[in-house]
Amino acid sequence: MTNIPPPAEELRLLDAELRQLDARRALLLRRREWLVHVLRTASAQRSVPGAGQMPPVWPVAPGAAAPRTEATAPGVQNVLLLLGGILLTVAAIAFTLVGWGHLGITGRALVLAAVTLAALSAPVLLLRRGLGSTAEAVAALGMALTVLDAYALHEVAFDGSGGLGYAAAATAVLSAAWAAYGAAADLLVPRSDAGSPTRPDRARAGAGTAARPALRLPLPCAVVTAQVPLLLWALAVDAGPHTLTAVLLVTAAADTVVALRPAHAPVRIVGLVGACVAGALGVLSAGWLCWSASAPGAAAPGAALLLLAAAIALAAARYAPKPEVALCASLAAGLCLVAGAGGVLRTWLPGEWTVPGCLALGIALLTAVRTPLPRPMRQGVVGASLVVQGLAVLWTLPLVAGTLLGPVALIERPWSGTPLDIRDAVFQDAAWPSYATAAPLVLAAVAGVLALAERRAVRRPASGVGALVLAWAAVVVTPVVLELPYGAGLVADGAVVVVALGVAERARRGTGGPSAPALTALVLALVTSVTLALVSLATEAGTIAVLLALAALFGVASTRPGLVAFTAPAALAHATALACAAGASAGLRPEHTALLVLVVPAVAALVAARAARAGRSAATVTVEAAGAGAALLALTLAVTDLPVLASVLALCGVVAAGTALRPERRRAGHAAAALFLLAAWVRLAAWEVTTPEAYTLPVSVAALAVGHLRRRRDPSVSSWTAHGAGLSVTLVPSLLAMWGDPHWLRPLLLGTAALAVTLVGARSRLQAPLVLGGGTLALVALHELAPYIAQVVGVLPRWAPPALAGLVLLALGATYEQRLRDARRLREALGRLH
């Protein structure tokens, strides 16, 4: 088909037509709304105007925006009702407290009774007329008046009774009365009048839902008020802490029943909040009563209260409508059970066995997995068991941290003597944690639970990793807890390193590559080796033997392809420490010990080359990093002796040059050149050579040679790139030294060299030698003429320099254009040079 007009033009026309239709539709809708409003108003006035009487006006001008309202009608209504209720309540309080004495007892009772009865009766009539918000406001006023009635009744008839007892009775009566009032209003007002679904609709909605009550305020207020009667009664009779705790738990149980009923949402929310608050306070109080007792008989009541709390939580979990609520409630129940039983068990067992006893109770909760309980409840009980196990593990952390970090203090006093036992070596400067004897048992028990969970494929591999870490911690702290002899403790830690490496290799074989258990075992082996090396610092023989054994062990482990990236650097690190220890044992000074340490970078270079040939790039990087660290340590040790430092730098340069022979490490040649240069400079400084040319000429010769070779290979390279750095390294320092040199030899040699460089640049037409050589030659000449210029300036009168400057400026001004042409020609000539 031939499109007339073109498609783009037709699409534009269609869009324009659609926009016009949308605008017309919106205008007609506004007109329709206005007409509907007019008809409804006419029907309310029982008069229907004729067609000719219709006002021919538009409610909103076409294209004009409707006025924006800043408050909705229901919002305005609620604000007005709230303010009215507050004002009436304030007036009633003022009447009760201030104007009460102007009436007799009969008048007082009649006035309050009449006002209260009217306020409580009016909402029913208002609801029948569909005025729900007004009914709520009046009902709130009526309930406030009932509180004033209770106060007035106390002042008139029960003035001599106790305040707390009367408050308990009054709040109980008010709570029951408000609940009955809300239920009565729900019965007296039909569903359709109250604005909520009818009874058949409610039945069809399902048994788990509840229709909105006629009055929404009385039932939540009744539940809130019901929180305090029992507590006030207990305080009134001077009840003990156990009774107060029981009252809190009973209140929480009642709130739980309310929260679980299919009531209106606000009632359930108030019940849930009340149950949580009262239950939490009751559990904390019961826990304090149970765990602060010193005898089983004293702890039993608190434990019974905790069991009551657990029963309430289990009941709530059983009938909870949501799985999340059931899980949280069953978790709380499990914790209450462990807390109650553990509180009684604490009074029977020694102090160090309290945590293991509670841990056993927590592990026993795992039997809930085999019970026919609903899944959320089983998950909650298992969660409580995990919480108990986690707290038990946290209890052991001070001992584990002290075992790992305590030996760090031996760095300040190495080879101080053989300790009494391994605990004395580890905790010599740290406090021994109280009740730490049972810590290995706790760690082993939790590790066993996690291992069993891993075998049953629960959260793997996290369970396996956790079991491995906890088992390692249990084994590491056992020698310290048992106070093994110092040598036996070192052997035990060494065995842990061997076993950890074996576990890592086995895990790697099982998965065919690096896995979480394998990496975890490797890290544990490295951490244990560091701790073992620190502990061995107590004796000289122990230090050398342990470091030698660790270096050999990790060196053997490096033969395994999956472990070399970790074990090879560890072997090099221990070898570095061994070299330092051997030097100290032989009585060598630190700078001479640095020569021993240099063996490690050489070995690292060989190992890295072998790893590179085998295609293990990760191992290559880690081994080279370890070798670089050892070289840096050697330089640090030799920094106090310049001749030895020069030798160390040269040997490091040899190692770097050997590394640069590998094709992928060609850039190491730059490091080798820098090390050789630094070695030469340090040697010159050791010989007390102060002539800067001795330092700069070797660099210039090497740089000029490299630049010459580069230009031969690539003639397009600029002379500044090839020769600029080499010439500047010598010419610039020599110029700086010349200005402070009173002798004639340096200027003569520098000027001769600058002249030669300038001639070479002119002959070869190279810009860098010509500019640098010529500039240097000019500065040398200026330096030589400076004394004579100073003498001439001293002889001339003071007006001569300004006059001479003025003449120069006049001459330049007169020949300005010619000077510009000459400068341009000079720039072009230099630009033509390479």
Side-chain angles (χ1 to χ4, degrees):
M1 296 178 61
T2 303
N3 290 288
I4 301 174
E9 182 64 20
E10 185 177 0
L11 179 61
R12 187 186 65 79
L13 294 175
L14 289 176
D15 290 339
E17 289 290 338
L18 290 174
R19 285 194 295 270
Q20 292 178 3
L21 289 175
D22 290 340
R24 180 63 178 171
R25 184 175 184 275
L27 191 64
L28 293 175
L29 286 175
R30 287 199 299 271
R31 179 66 176 178
R32 181 182 182 280
E33 292 176 359
W34 181 76
L35 292 173
V36 169
H37 173 71
V38 170
L39 292 175
R40 287 179 178 175
T41 304
S43 298
Q45 297 175 356
R46 300 185 182 280
S47 60
V48 181
Q53 299 176 355
M54 189 71 65
V57 295
W58 291 85
V60 180
R68 184 174 63 89
T69 58
E70 297 183 354
T72 61
V76 174
Q77 176 188 7
N78 293 334
V79 170
L80 294 178
L81 292 175
L82 178 63
L83 290 176
I86 292 174
L87 293 177
L88 288 175
T89 304
V90 171
I93 294 173
F95 170 75
T96 303
L97 298 179
V98 179
W100 187 253
H102 298 289
L103 298 174
I105 185 170
T106 305
R108 303 169 191 172
L110 291 176
V111 169
L112 273 180
V115 174
T116 304
L117 183 61
L120 294 176
S121 302
V124 176
L125 300 177
L126 293 173
L127 287 173
R128 290 181 180 276
R129 293 182 176 273
L131 303 176
S133 299
T134 307
E136 295 286 352
V138 177
L141 175 62
M143 289 189 295
L145 289 175
T146 58
V147 177
L148 295 178
D149 289 337
Y151 169 75
L153 185 60
H154 177 267
E155 292 296 323
V156 173
F158 300 98
D159 192 16
S161 62
L164 289 176
Y166 180 80
T171 51
V173 172
L174 286 176
S175 177
W178 291 348
Y181 177 63
D186 197 25
L187 294 175
L188 293 175
V189 179
R191 296 284 98 185
S192 58
D193 295 340
S196 59
T198 60
R199 298 289 182 183
D201 296 336
R202 179 177 177 180
R204 287 192 299 268
T209 60
R212 183 177 66 84
L215 292 176
R216 291 174 290 180
L217 192 60
L219 292 179
C221 291
V223 176
V224 172
T225 308
Q227 307 297 314
V228 294
L230 286 178
L231 185 60
L232 291 176
W233 169 81
L235 294 175
V237 298
D238 294 328
H242 292 87
T243 304
L244 289 173
T245 304
V247 165
L248 289 172
L249 293 178
V250 170
T251 304
D255 289 331
T256 303
V257 173
V258 173
L260 295 178
R261 290 182 67 253
H264 189 44
V267 179
R268 293 198 306 270
I269 292 174
V270 172
L272 179 61
V273 173
C276 293
V277 174
L281 293 177
V283 168
L284 292 176
S285 178
W288 178 80
L289 292 173
C290 183
W291 283 80
S292 61
S294 57
L305 292 173
L306 286 172
L307 293 179
L308 174 61
I312 296 171
L314 285 176
R318 177 64 181 82
Y319 297 102
K322 294 184 178 181
E324 297 82 3
V325 178
L327 189 148
C328 295
S330 55
L331 188 147
L335 293 178
C336 290
L337 287 173
V338 173
V344 176
L345 192 63
R346 180 188 62 86
T347 60
W348 289 92
L349 298 175
E352 63 268 16
W353 293 101
T354 300
V355 174
C358 293
L359 176 61
L361 296 173
I363 294 175
L365 292 178
L366 294 176
T367 56
V369 177
R370 298 293 186 180
T371 61
L373 293 174
R375 179 181 176 85
M377 294 184 65
R378 294 200 306 270
Q379 291 178 343
V381 175
V382 171
S385 176
L386 294 179
V387 170
V388 174
Q389 295 179 55
L391 293 176
V393 171
L394 289 178
W395 175 74
T396 65
L397 282 185
L399 177 62
V400 177
T403 303
L404 297 178
L405 302 179
V408 176
L410 292 173
I411 296 177
E412 300 179 355
R413 49 178 186 281
W415 301 348
S416 57
T418 305
L420 298 176
D421 50 46
I422 191 67
R423 182 188 295 185
D424 182 61
V426 173
F427 284 90
Q428 189 172 359
D429 293 336
W432 176 253
S434 59
Y435 303 131
T437 306
L441 180 61
V442 170
L443 293 170
V446 179
V449 172
L450 291 178
L452 182 61
E454 195 272 340
R455 288 190 61 184
R456 296 181 180 277
V458 179
R459 293 184 180 275
R460 34 183 337 186
S463 299
V465 171
L468 184 60
V469 173
L470 293 178
W472 165 80
V475 175
V476 167
V477 300
T478 298
V480 180
V481 172
L482 297 180
E483 299 184 63
L484 295 180
Y486 177 69
L490 294 180
V491 173
D493 287 344
V496 172
V497 177
V498 174
V499 173
L501 289 175
V503 171
E505 176 61 17
R506 181 177 179 182
R508 185 193 66 82
R509 289 180 180 178
T511 57
S515 59
L519 295 178
T520 303
L522 273 174
V523 172
L524 296 178
L526 295 175
V527 172
T528 309
S529 67
V530 173
T531 302
L532 176 58
L534 292 175
V535 175
S536 68
L537 290 176
T539 61
E540 179 179 350
T543 301
I544 295 177
V546 166
L547 291 176
L548 180 60
L550 289 175
L553 176 62
F554 282 101
V556 172
S558 300
T559 58
R560 312 308 302 171
L563 306 180
V564 63
F566 297 90
T567 55
L572 294 174
H574 290 301
T576 304
L578 176 62
C580 295
S585 178
L588 299 179
R589 299 176 61 184
E591 56 269 20
H592 296 150
T593 303
L595 298 175
L596 291 177
V597 176
L598 283 178
V599 177
V600 177
V603 174
L606 297 176
V607 174
R610 181 179 177 183
R613 288 194 298 271
R616 295 190 288 267
S617 58
T620 303
V621 174
T622 56
V623 169
E624 288 175 345
L632 183 61
L633 176 61
L635 294 174
T636 305
L637 292 174
V639 75
T640 57
D641 192 325
L642 292 182
V644 178
L645 179 60
S647 301
V648 171
L649 286 169
L651 292 175
C652 291
V654 172
V655 175
T659 303
L661 295 177
R662 291 157 43 195
E664 72 277 7
R665 289 290 186 267
R666 295 300 188 194
R667 293 186 178 181
H670 301 293
L675 289 171
F676 285 134
L677 179 61
L678 288 175
W681 286 359
V682 170
R683 176 59 64 181
L684 291 174
W687 289 337
E688 298 182 354
V689 176
T690 57
T691 304
E693 288 80 6
Y695 298 89
T696 58
L697 277 176
V699 181
S700 293
V701 171
L704 291 174
V706 172
H708 178 68
L709 293 176
R710 185 174 181 182
R711 276 188 54 80
R712 287 185 60 183
R713 293 180 180 179
D714 186 6
S716 63
V717 175
S718 171
S719 63
W720 288 102
T721 303
H723 307 301
L727 294 174
S728 301
V729 166
T730 296
L731 294 179
V732 174
S734 297
L735 277 174
L736 297 176
M738 181 191 66
W739 286 101
D741 190 356
H743 304 287
W744 58 272
L745 182 59
R746 187 190 301 274
L748 177 61
L749 295 177
L750 181 59
T752 303
L755 178 61
V757 170
T758 304
L759 294 176
V760 170
R763 183 177 179 277
S764 303
R765 294 185 180 181
L766 297 178
Q767 190 177 102
L770 183 62
V771 173
L772 292 176
T776 302
L777 185 61
L779 291 175
V780 170
L782 180 62
H783 173 267
E784 294 302 312
L785 291 177
Y788 304 102
I789 295 175
Q791 292 178 3
V792 172
V793 171
V795 173
L796 292 176
R798 294 186 176 181
W799 54 265
L804 181 61
L807 291 175
V808 171
L809 292 176
L810 288 176
L812 290 176
T815 59
Y816 181 73
E817 186 176 0
Q818 183 63 33
R819 298 287 80 75
L820 287 178
R821 285 198 298 267
D822 294 341
R824 190 179 299 111
R825 290 172 183 172
L826 178 61
R827 185 186 64 185
E828 293 175 354
L830 288 176
R832 287 192 296 269
L833 299 178
H834 198 70

